[in-house]
């Protein structure tokens, strides 16, 4: 059991011991870093490729069709075929584009998404860089994607791209606030910024099964879906309004890189959600990395499910939701986590539940969702 | 040492680019490069927390804010958005000289090689000192930031009222479909 649980850790150790026989110690240290990097660099594109397959299959099922099923059994070779197609496509750069910025944007968007994987605890002892400030690192790096998207949209010199980029920045800045505030609760209770320590603090009782944990997780997940630009928050690339938003002017492999970043971010945020609130790799019977993968894929499935069911939000609805509902709710949630920490268990449950329920009811009544329907006038048309 | 020189070169290049480049967006992008270089230098000094916060605040917030400022101007798309020395050049020179003199004073006071602090300072130690030994400066900084934020909101609100009045007074041809 332990062997299966630690199989990747043991494999790494074995390789390092083997290399240590005829390599100087400095090179062994470099090799250990290289192994982690290679593992992530192999794992990430593979995950991305099969996430596209998974998404097409699930959305296909939701829409009552089969999804890809021509290339390979169950369409399993479809991502490879798509990859080859992307690589052989012509790379078009618009005439008026800012060539340097246009070229750098796809790189700048993928690198942060890969860096995110460094602090994710994939299993017991399976973390590439166990930083003291792992969670802060994740948040800081994930905010870089916004800049890359702006570079892409601005560098293309296309009004749809620019509109998409502006929407992306406004949206990501807004949703980052509730995202970070919902994460704060997990930090408060576990007393650590390290992702490994947060998982270990959930031994016995996942944060998801506490009032503040549930609320925090829901806020985190909604904000995360928005941060990675997925439906129903995909207005930066809303195809019915602004063609493809910030990546309108990208073709071939550069386009694929934007896509890759989106899927990698979706994976990374699901993994972080599982780590912070669902106990990460904790669980019985199955090996730790299997538990981690399982929880992450449940969250990814929910994201795809969202995509298959929800219509896209309007810009004003999107902003109003973040600032008028999610933000106050996450602030109240921090208060609830504080109460949870200081009150004895018998008092903590009813107190936090009452506080959160009252806040939820007050906030949803303060901003009624059903706006009165007003007949819209379009003076230029009439 | 090689790593330090490389990072320092990148950082300096970013800083120079942010003042010498003509296109305003290029300036901001190279400013971001500079912020990154500084964050990497912090990592070399084993101050991970400061490095991460550097990225979080300067790259994630300050640079994005600067981009916002550009997006709110009229020539968002244009190449014509240039960085130039306006009528403020003497004030800028004065501020620059003042900052430089403070920095030179600080550097000359320090004897090199400086004695490194014993052991790594963890985020926890940092937090503890902030709310115990340095609680007053910390609170003053928070009050200052809050005041600045409220001030900005008030200024923005006044302008909004004014523009709303102007819109009501002068009949606009372009309709506002958002409202």
């Amino acid at each position: 059991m332990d062997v299966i649980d630690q199989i990747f850790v043991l494999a790494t150790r074995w390789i390092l011991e083997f290399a240590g026989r005829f390599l100087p110690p400095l090179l062994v240290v470099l090799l250990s870093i290289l192994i982690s990097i290679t593992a992530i660099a192999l794992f990430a594109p593979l995950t991305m490729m099969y996430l596209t397959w998974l998404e097409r299959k699930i959305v296909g099922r939701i829409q009552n069709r089969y999804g890809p099923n021509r290339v390979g059994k169950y369409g399993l070779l479809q991502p490879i075929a798509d990859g080859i197609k992307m690589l052989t496509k012509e790379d078009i750069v618009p005439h008026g584009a800012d060539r340097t910025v246009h070229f750098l944007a796809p790189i700048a968007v993928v690198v942060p998404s890969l860096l995110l994987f460094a602090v994710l605890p994939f299993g017991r002892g399976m973390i590439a860089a166990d930083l003291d400030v792992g969670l802060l690192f994740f948040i800081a790096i994930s905010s870089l994607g916004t800049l890359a998207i702006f570079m892409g949209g601005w560098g293309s010199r296309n009004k749809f791209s620019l509109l998409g980029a502006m929407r992306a920045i406004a949206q990501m800045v807004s949703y980052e606030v509730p995202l970070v505030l919902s994460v704060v609760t997990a930090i408060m209770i576990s007393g650590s910024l390290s992702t490994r320590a947060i998982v270990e603090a959930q031994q016995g009782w996942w944060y998801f099964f506490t009032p503040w944990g549930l609320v925090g997780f829901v806020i985190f997940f909604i904000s995360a879906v928005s941060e990675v630009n997925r439906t129903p928050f995909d207005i930066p690339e809303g195809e019915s309004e602004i063609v493809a938003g910030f990546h309108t002017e990208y073709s071939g492999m550069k386009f694929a890189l934007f896509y890759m970043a989106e899927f990698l971010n979706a994976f990374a945020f699901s993994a972080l959600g599982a780590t912070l609130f669902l106990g990460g790799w904790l669980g019985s019977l199955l090996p730790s990395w299997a538990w981690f993968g399982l929880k992450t894929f449940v969250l990814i499935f929910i994201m795809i499910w969202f995509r298959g069911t929800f219509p896209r939000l309007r810009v004003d609805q999107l902003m109003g939701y973040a600032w008028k509902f999610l933000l106050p709710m996450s602030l109240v949630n921090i208060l609830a986590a504080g109460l949870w920490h200081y009150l004895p268990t018998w008092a903590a449950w009813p107190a936090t539940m009452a506080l959160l329920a009252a806040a939820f009811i007050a906030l949803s009544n303060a901003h009624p969702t059903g706006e009165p329907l007003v007949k819209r006038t379009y003076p230029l048309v009439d | 040492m090689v790593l330090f020189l490389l990072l320092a070169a990148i950082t300096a290049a970013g800083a120079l680019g942010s003042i010498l480049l003509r296109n305003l967006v290029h300036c901001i992008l190279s400013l971001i490069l500079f912020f990154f270089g500084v964050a990497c230098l912090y990592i070399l000094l084993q101050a991970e927390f400061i490095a991460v916060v550097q990225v979080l605040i300067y790259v994630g917030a300050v640079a994005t804010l600067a981009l916002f400022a550009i997006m709110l101007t009229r020539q968002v798309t244009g190449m014509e958005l240039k960085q130039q020395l306006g009528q403020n050049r003497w004030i800028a020179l004065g501020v620059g000289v003042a900052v430089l003199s403070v920095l030179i004073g600080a550097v000359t006071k320090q004897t090199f090689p400086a004695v490194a602090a014993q052991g790594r300072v963890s985020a926890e130690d940092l937090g503890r000192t902030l709310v115990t030994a340095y609680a007053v400066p910390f609170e003053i900084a928070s009050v200052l930031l809050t005041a600045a934020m409220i001030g900005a909101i008030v200024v923005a609100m006044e302008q909004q009222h004014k523009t709303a009045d102007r819109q009501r007074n002068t009949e606009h041809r372009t309709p506002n479909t958002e409202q």
Side-chain angles (χ1 to χ4, degrees), chain A residues 142-267:
Chain A
S142 72
S143 67
L144 298 183
T146 324
L147 292 170
I149 285 178
F150 178 83
M151 282 166 73
W154 185 84
S156 302
R157 198 81 68 232
N158 168 328
K159 65 179 111 171
F160 295 120
S161 301
L162 190 69
L163 271 176
M166 287 164 79
R167 286 181 178 196
I169 291 199
Q171 174 181 345
M172 287 181 166
V173 167
S174 308
Y175 276 85
E176 210 165 80
V177 181
L179 182 94
V180 173
L181 288 178
S182 65
V183 165
V184 165
T185 54
I187 299 172
M188 280 166 72
I189 301 296
S190 63
S192 175
L193 282 168
S194 148
T195 42
R196 181 187 49 79
I198 290 176
V199 171
E200 276 162 6
Q202 292 179 70
Q203 204 99 43
W205 199 253
W206 300 352
Y207 290 157
F208 182 71
F209 297 112
T210 55
W212 59 267
L214 180 66
V215 173
F217 173 74
V218 171
I219 294 173
F220 173 85
F221 192 68
I222 293 173
S223 315
V225 173
S226 177
E227 282 286 300
V228 301
N229 282 333
R230 290 186 58 92
T231 335
F233 303 107
D234 60 344
I235 60 157
E237 46 189 286
E239 59 264 32
S240 55
E241 302 155 22
I242 48 172
V243 194
F246 57 87
H247 54 53
T248 306
E249 296 291 1
Y250 283 93
S251 59
M253 209 52 207
K254 289 183 185 166
F255 171 77
L257 285 180
F258 274 109
Y259 230 71
M260 179 163 160
E262 185 182 319
F263 276 100
L264 290 183
N265 280 338
F267 183 90

Side-chain angles (χ1 to χ4, degrees), chain B residues 140-156:
Chain B
I140 291 175
S142 330
V143 170
L144 198 70
L145 286 178
T146 316
M149 196 170 71
I150 293 173
I153 291 171
V154 169
V155 170

